[in-house]
mmCIF file of all heavy atoms in Angstrom:
data_model
loop_
_atom_site.group_PDB
_atom_site.id
_atom_site.type_symbol
_atom_site.label_atom_id
_atom_site.label_comp_id
_atom_site.label_asym_id
_atom_site.label_seq_id
_atom_site.Cartn_x
_atom_site.Cartn_y
_atom_site.Cartn_z
ATOM 1 N N TYR A 1 -33.489 -7.711 7.373
ATOM 2 C CA TYR A 1 -33.820 -8.209 6.037
ATOM 3 C C TYR A 1 -34.343 -7.100 5.132
ATOM 4 O O TYR A 1 -34.132 -7.129 3.918
ATOM 5 C CB TYR A 1 -34.832 -9.354 6.122
ATOM 6 C CG TYR A 1 -34.220 -10.633 6.629
ATOM 7 C CD1 TYR A 1 -34.697 -11.256 7.779
ATOM 8 C CD2 TYR A 1 -33.133 -11.215 5.975
ATOM 9 C CE1 TYR A 1 -34.118 -12.431 8.258
ATOM 10 C CE2 TYR A 1 -32.554 -12.383 6.449
ATOM 11 C CZ TYR A 1 -33.052 -12.979 7.593
ATOM 12 O OH TYR A 1 -32.467 -14.132 8.057
ATOM 13 N N GLU A 2 -34.986 -6.102 5.728
ATOM 14 C CA GLU A 2 -35.466 -4.980 4.925
ATOM 15 C C GLU A 2 -34.325 -4.075 4.489
ATOM 16 O O GLU A 2 -34.510 -3.208 3.628
ATOM 17 C CB GLU A 2 -36.528 -4.199 5.707
ATOM 18 C CG GLU A 2 -37.844 -4.971 5.816
ATOM 19 C CD GLU A 2 -38.918 -4.231 6.587
ATOM 20 O OE1 GLU A 2 -38.621 -3.123 7.091
ATOM 21 O OE2 GLU A 2 -40.045 -4.741 6.682
ATOM 22 N N SER A 3 -33.144 -4.281 5.053
ATOM 23 C CA SER A 3 -31.924 -3.630 4.574
ATOM 24 C C SER A 3 -31.171 -4.520 3.588
ATOM 25 O O SER A 3 -30.686 -4.057 2.557
ATOM 26 C CB SER A 3 -31.017 -3.278 5.763
ATOM 27 O OG SER A 3 -29.737 -2.860 5.338
ATOM 28 N N ILE A 4 -31.099 -5.819 3.901
ATOM 29 C CA ILE A 4 -30.331 -6.763 3.088
ATOM 30 C C ILE A 4 -30.953 -6.951 1.703
ATOM 31 O O ILE A 4 -30.264 -6.860 0.670
ATOM 32 C CB ILE A 4 -30.245 -8.125 3.806
ATOM 33 C CG1 ILE A 4 -29.405 -8.024 5.069
ATOM 34 C CG2 ILE A 4 -29.692 -9.204 2.873
ATOM 35 C CD1 ILE A 4 -29.562 -9.213 6.008
ATOM 36 N N ILE A 5 -32.242 -7.218 1.664
ATOM 37 C CA ILE A 5 -32.878 -7.613 0.397
ATOM 38 C C ILE A 5 -32.849 -6.501 -0.645
ATOM 39 O O ILE A 5 -32.520 -6.764 -1.819
ATOM 40 C CB ILE A 5 -34.297 -8.147 0.666
ATOM 41 C CG1 ILE A 5 -34.189 -9.496 1.392
ATOM 42 C CG2 ILE A 5 -35.088 -8.298 -0.639
ATOM 43 C CD1 ILE A 5 -35.509 -10.080 1.849
ATOM 44 N N PRO A 6 -33.163 -5.238 -0.317
ATOM 45 C CA PRO A 6 -33.036 -4.203 -1.346
ATOM 46 C C PRO A 6 -31.629 -4.070 -1.919
ATOM 47 O O PRO A 6 -31.462 -3.793 -3.120
ATOM 48 C CB PRO A 6 -33.456 -2.929 -0.605
ATOM 49 C CG PRO A 6 -34.378 -3.404 0.467
ATOM 50 C CD PRO A 6 -33.781 -4.709 0.920
ATOM 51 N N THR A 7 -30.619 -4.281 -1.083
ATOM 52 C CA THR A 7 -29.241 -4.227 -1.597
ATOM 53 C C THR A 7 -28.997 -5.331 -2.618
ATOM 54 O O THR A 7 -28.412 -5.100 -3.689
ATOM 55 C CB THR A 7 -28.230 -4.355 -0.439
ATOM 56 O OG1 THR A 7 -28.440 -3.292 0.488
ATOM 57 C CG2 THR A 7 -26.799 -4.299 -0.959
ATOM 58 N N LEU A 8 -29.445 -6.548 -2.302
ATOM 59 C CA LEU A 8 -29.297 -7.661 -3.241
ATOM 60 C C LEU A 8 -30.045 -7.388 -4.541
ATOM 61 O O LEU A 8 -29.550 -7.703 -5.637
ATOM 62 C CB LEU A 8 -29.828 -8.946 -2.600
ATOM 63 C CG LEU A 8 -29.042 -9.497 -1.412
ATOM 64 C CD1 LEU A 8 -29.834 -10.606 -0.724
ATOM 65 C CD2 LEU A 8 -27.677 -10.009 -1.862
ATOM 66 N N LEU A 9 -31.232 -6.789 -4.431
ATOM 67 C CA LEU A 9 -32.024 -6.507 -5.630
ATOM 68 C C LEU A 9 -31.390 -5.401 -6.460
ATOM 69 O O LEU A 9 -31.312 -5.505 -7.693
ATOM 70 C CB LEU A 9 -33.449 -6.119 -5.229
ATOM 71 C CG LEU A 9 -34.286 -7.204 -4.538
ATOM 72 C CD1 LEU A 9 -35.641 -6.647 -4.138
ATOM 73 C CD2 LEU A 9 -34.447 -8.417 -5.437
ATOM 74 N N GLU A 10 -30.935 -4.341 -5.816
ATOM 75 C CA GLU A 10 -30.314 -3.230 -6.548
ATOM 76 C C GLU A 10 -29.008 -3.666 -7.206
ATOM 77 O O GLU A 10 -28.677 -3.204 -8.307
ATOM 78 C CB GLU A 10 -30.068 -2.047 -5.606
ATOM 79 C CG GLU A 10 -31.323 -1.368 -5.094
ATOM 80 C CD GLU A 10 -32.039 -0.541 -6.158
ATOM 81 O OE1 GLU A 10 -31.489 -0.381 -7.272
ATOM 82 O OE2 GLU A 10 -33.159 -0.066 -5.872
ATOM 83 N N ASP A 11 -28.274 -4.554 -6.549
ATOM 84 C CA ASP A 11 -27.029 -5.062 -7.128
ATOM 85 C C ASP A 11 -27.286 -6.151 -8.161
ATOM 86 O O ASP A 11 -26.349 -6.603 -8.828
ATOM 87 C CB ASP A 11 -26.113 -5.609 -6.032
ATOM 88 C CG ASP A 11 -25.396 -4.508 -5.271
ATOM 89 O OD1 ASP A 11 -25.571 -3.324 -5.629
ATOM 90 O OD2 ASP A 11 -24.664 -4.820 -4.309
ATOM 91 N N ARG A 12 -28.531 -6.590 -8.257
ATOM 92 C CA ARG A 12 -28.956 -7.586 -9.247
ATOM 93 C C ARG A 12 -28.059 -8.823 -9.215
ATOM 94 O O ARG A 12 -27.541 -9.261 -10.229
ATOM 95 C CB ARG A 12 -29.019 -6.951 -10.632
ATOM 96 C CG ARG A 12 -30.198 -5.982 -10.741
ATOM 97 C CD ARG A 12 -30.142 -5.054 -11.925
ATOM 98 N NE ARG A 12 -31.379 -4.293 -12.034
ATOM 99 C CZ ARG A 12 -31.663 -3.181 -11.321
ATOM 100 N NH1 ARG A 12 -30.777 -2.714 -10.447
ATOM 101 N NH2 ARG A 12 -32.819 -2.555 -11.484
ATOM 102 N N VAL A 13 -27.912 -9.361 -8.001
ATOM 103 C CA VAL A 13 -27.217 -10.638 -7.843
ATOM 104 C C VAL A 13 -28.064 -11.737 -8.482
ATOM 105 O O VAL A 13 -27.543 -12.646 -9.134
ATOM 106 C CB VAL A 13 -26.970 -10.938 -6.356
ATOM 107 C CG1 VAL A 13 -26.109 -12.177 -6.193
ATOM 108 C CG2 VAL A 13 -26.332 -9.738 -5.667
ATOM 109 N N HIS A 14 -29.363 -11.644 -8.288
ATOM 110 C CA HIS A 14 -30.359 -12.476 -8.960
ATOM 111 C C HIS A 14 -31.313 -11.573 -9.727
ATOM 112 O O HIS A 14 -31.481 -10.394 -9.366
ATOM 113 C CB HIS A 14 -31.211 -13.246 -7.956
ATOM 114 C CG HIS A 14 -30.536 -14.379 -7.269
ATOM 115 N ND1 HIS A 14 -31.201 -15.194 -6.364
ATOM 116 C CD2 HIS A 14 -29.264 -14.867 -7.330
ATOM 117 C CE1 HIS A 14 -30.377 -16.117 -5.909
ATOM 118 N NE2 HIS A 14 -29.187 -15.934 -6.463
ATOM 119 N N LEU A 15 -31.980 -12.141 -10.713
ATOM 120 C CA LEU A 15 -33.229 -11.591 -11.216
ATOM 121 C C LEU A 15 -34.328 -12.512 -10.690
ATOM 122 O O LEU A 15 -34.544 -13.596 -11.238
ATOM 123 C CB LEU A 15 -33.249 -11.550 -12.750
ATOM 124 C CG LEU A 15 -32.218 -10.655 -13.441
ATOM 125 C CD1 LEU A 15 -32.429 -10.699 -14.955
ATOM 126 C CD2 LEU A 15 -32.283 -9.220 -12.927
ATOM 127 N N PRO A 16 -35.004 -12.138 -9.593
ATOM 128 C CA PRO A 16 -36.074 -12.990 -9.084
ATOM 129 C C PRO A 16 -37.134 -13.211 -10.165
ATOM 130 O O PRO A 16 -37.457 -12.295 -10.929
ATOM 131 C CB PRO A 16 -36.635 -12.193 -7.902
ATOM 132 C CG PRO A 16 -35.511 -11.288 -7.487
ATOM 133 C CD PRO A 16 -34.824 -10.928 -8.763
ATOM 134 N N SER A 17 -37.691 -14.416 -10.183
ATOM 135 C CA SER A 17 -38.624 -14.741 -11.254
ATOM 136 C C SER A 17 -40.014 -15.079 -10.737
ATOM 137 O O SER A 17 -40.968 -14.364 -10.994
ATOM 138 C CB SER A 17 -38.082 -15.912 -12.090
ATOM 139 O OG SER A 17 -36.844 -15.577 -12.672
ATOM 140 N N TYR A 18 -40.146 -16.193 -10.013
ATOM 141 C CA TYR A 18 -41.491 -16.628 -9.638
ATOM 142 C C TYR A 18 -41.446 -17.558 -8.433
ATOM 143 O O TYR A 18 -40.400 -18.082 -8.064
ATOM 144 C CB TYR A 18 -42.184 -17.345 -10.805
ATOM 145 C CG TYR A 18 -41.443 -18.543 -11.363
ATOM 146 C CD1 TYR A 18 -41.706 -19.830 -10.909
ATOM 147 C CD2 TYR A 18 -40.479 -18.391 -12.357
ATOM 148 C CE1 TYR A 18 -41.037 -20.927 -11.421
ATOM 149 C CE2 TYR A 18 -39.800 -19.486 -12.873
ATOM 150 C CZ TYR A 18 -40.078 -20.749 -12.405
ATOM 151 O OH TYR A 18 -39.405 -21.845 -12.916
ATOM 152 N N SER A 19 -42.599 -17.722 -7.831
ATOM 153 C CA SER A 19 -42.843 -18.780 -6.851
ATOM 154 C C SER A 19 -43.896 -19.698 -7.448
ATOM 155 O O SER A 19 -44.928 -19.227 -7.947
ATOM 156 C CB SER A 19 -43.357 -18.209 -5.526
ATOM 157 O OG SER A 19 -42.332 -17.592 -4.786
ATOM 158 N N LEU A 20 -43.626 -20.989 -7.428
ATOM 159 C CA LEU A 20 -44.610 -21.948 -7.919
ATOM 160 C C LEU A 20 -45.676 -22.211 -6.869
ATOM 161 O O LEU A 20 -45.401 -22.188 -5.666
ATOM 162 C CB LEU A 20 -43.930 -23.272 -8.278
ATOM 163 C CG LEU A 20 -43.198 -23.345 -9.619
ATOM 164 C CD1 LEU A 20 -42.559 -24.718 -9.781
ATOM 165 C CD2 LEU A 20 -44.133 -23.058 -10.787
ATOM 166 N N ARG A 21 -46.874 -22.474 -7.331
ATOM 167 C CA ARG A 21 -47.915 -22.964 -6.452
ATOM 168 C C ARG A 21 -47.735 -24.463 -6.269
ATOM 169 O O ARG A 21 -47.205 -25.140 -7.152
ATOM 170 C CB ARG A 21 -49.297 -22.676 -7.053
ATOM 171 C CG ARG A 21 -49.590 -21.191 -7.246
ATOM 172 C CD ARG A 21 -50.968 -20.973 -7.826
ATOM 173 N NE ARG A 21 -52.016 -21.295 -6.876
ATOM 174 C CZ ARG A 21 -52.483 -20.483 -5.939
ATOM 175 N NH1 ARG A 21 -51.977 -19.271 -5.818
ATOM 176 N NH2 ARG A 21 -53.440 -20.853 -5.113
ATOM 177 N N VAL A 22 -48.111 -24.981 -5.113
ATOM 178 C CA VAL A 22 -48.203 -26.422 -4.924
ATOM 179 C C VAL A 22 -49.504 -26.844 -5.597
ATOM 180 O O VAL A 22 -50.593 -26.511 -5.124
ATOM 181 C CB VAL A 22 -48.192 -26.796 -3.440
ATOM 182 C CG1 VAL A 22 -48.475 -28.286 -3.265
ATOM 183 C CG2 VAL A 22 -46.854 -26.437 -2.816
ATOM 184 N N SER A 23 -49.397 -27.531 -6.723
ATOM 185 C CA SER A 23 -50.553 -27.851 -7.562
ATOM 186 C C SER A 23 -50.633 -29.354 -7.750
ATOM 187 O O SER A 23 -49.727 -29.962 -8.337
ATOM 188 C CB SER A 23 -50.441 -27.143 -8.910
ATOM 189 O OG SER A 23 -50.310 -25.746 -8.729
ATOM 190 N N ILE A 24 -51.715 -29.936 -7.251
ATOM 191 C CA ILE A 24 -51.840 -31.387 -7.186
ATOM 192 C C ILE A 24 -53.175 -31.813 -7.779
ATOM 193 O O ILE A 24 -54.227 -31.255 -7.434
ATOM 194 C CB ILE A 24 -51.715 -31.878 -5.732
ATOM 195 C CG1 ILE A 24 -50.328 -31.508 -5.170
ATOM 196 C CG2 ILE A 24 -51.940 -33.375 -5.629
ATOM 197 C CD1 ILE A 24 -50.119 -31.886 -3.723
ATOM 198 N N GLY A 25 -53.131 -32.804 -8.660
ATOM 199 C CA GLY A 25 -54.338 -33.393 -9.209
ATOM 200 C C GLY A 25 -54.775 -34.578 -8.363
ATOM 201 O O GLY A 25 -53.954 -35.419 -7.996
ATOM 202 N N VAL A 26 -56.065 -34.643 -8.050
ATOM 203 C CA VAL A 26 -56.593 -35.662 -7.139
ATOM 204 C C VAL A 26 -57.801 -36.331 -7.785
ATOM 205 O O VAL A 26 -58.754 -35.646 -8.187
ATOM 206 C CB VAL A 26 -57.002 -35.042 -5.787
ATOM 207 C CG1 VAL A 26 -57.458 -36.127 -4.817
ATOM 208 C CG2 VAL A 26 -55.846 -34.237 -5.189
ATOM 209 N N ARG A 27 -57.776 -37.655 -7.893
ATOM 210 C CA ARG A 27 -58.928 -38.381 -8.412
ATOM 211 C C ARG A 27 -60.137 -38.226 -7.496
ATOM 212 O O ARG A 27 -59.999 -38.087 -6.286
ATOM 213 C CB ARG A 27 -58.591 -39.861 -8.589
ATOM 214 C CG ARG A 27 -57.778 -40.176 -9.842
ATOM 215 C CD ARG A 27 -58.529 -39.839 -11.113
ATOM 216 N NE ARG A 27 -59.739 -40.624 -11.269
ATOM 217 C CZ ARG A 27 -59.871 -41.631 -12.132
ATOM 218 N NH1 ARG A 27 -58.867 -41.967 -12.916
ATOM 219 N NH2 ARG A 27 -61.009 -42.292 -12.212
ATOM 220 N N ASP A 28 -61.337 -38.305 -8.092
ATOM 221 C CA ASP A 28 -62.546 -37.986 -7.347
ATOM 222 C C ASP A 28 -62.882 -39.011 -6.270
ATOM 223 O O ASP A 28 -63.678 -38.728 -5.366
ATOM 224 C CB ASP A 28 -63.738 -37.809 -8.294
ATOM 225 C CG ASP A 28 -63.919 -38.971 -9.252
ATOM 226 O OD1 ASP A 28 -63.244 -40.008 -9.067
ATOM 227 O OD2 ASP A 28 -64.737 -38.843 -10.182
ATOM 228 N N TYR A 29 -62.283 -40.202 -6.313
ATOM 229 C CA TYR A 29 -62.558 -41.198 -5.280
ATOM 230 C C TYR A 29 -61.605 -41.088 -4.092
ATOM 231 O O TYR A 29 -61.713 -41.853 -3.134
ATOM 232 C CB TYR A 29 -62.503 -42.617 -5.854
ATOM 233 C CG TYR A 29 -61.265 -42.914 -6.668
ATOM 234 C CD1 TYR A 29 -60.025 -43.132 -6.076
ATOM 235 C CD2 TYR A 29 -61.332 -42.973 -8.058
ATOM 236 C CE1 TYR A 29 -58.891 -43.389 -6.815
ATOM 237 C CE2 TYR A 29 -60.201 -43.239 -8.821
ATOM 238 C CZ TYR A 29 -58.985 -43.445 -8.206
ATOM 239 O OH TYR A 29 -57.863 -43.706 -8.950
#
């Protein structure tokens, strides 16, 4: 993977953007 991923990044198959956090609102009760 340390060989595969740099190739994908250099070839710009994707422009990686972000990872979302798991964000949850919880009532106090």
